[in-house]
Amino acid sequence: MLLPMKLILDHNAMTDGFFEDTRLLGIMAPMKDYTFCWHLNDLMGVDFRINNEIEIQLKRKDRNYFFTVFEYQQPHTALTHYLYNNQFDGEYLLPEFRHLDFLWLFKGDAIEDDEMSHIISNIRGIRGVQLVVELTNEQIRNKEHLVF
């Protein structure tokens, strides 16, 4: 008699695959997510829109927490921008970065260093932005929370 096979999902491989060809910015800007997106859209000519289908849901302390994700597909490229809200009702998507309000993930196409510097400079020009920093994969302990 054959025993049923057990399939095990390899979260590390899935997470590593998700983060190939990505760059991530952490942003401290104590304002509503829709306000911050409006500023980005207005200043940088992007078109961030909320995408409820990829909203991140985490269960902690017998409660569900929902972290909004805004998305922008850059025309004529494979580059997609994702803006995560790092806070919801006192909980954090990435608890190791409690001081950050937003996480901006660039995925799908390479971003050159000079272009990234220009983006960071533009974000810093938004009134209310206190900090913009690039995060490395090694700094992020809870990468799986960003995978949708």
Side-chain angles (χ1 to χ4, degrees), residues 2-8:
L2 292 173
L3 295 175
M5 286 181 55
K6 232 183 200 180
L7 298 176
I8 298 173

Side-chain angles (χ1 to χ4, degrees), residues 31-45:
M31 62 182 77
K32 297 286 187 188
D33 52 11
Y34 56 85
T35 302
F36 184 60
C37 282
W38 182 86
H39 283 294
L40 291 175
N41 291 345
D42 185 54
L43 178 70
M44 301 178 70

Side-chain angles (χ1 to χ4, degrees), residues 69-84:
V69 181
F70 293 79
E71 181 179 23
Y72 167 63
Q73 171 64 52
Q74 193 164 316
H76 314 295
T77 70
L79 184 61
T80 305
H81 304 256
Y82 299 99
L83 187 73
Y84 298 79

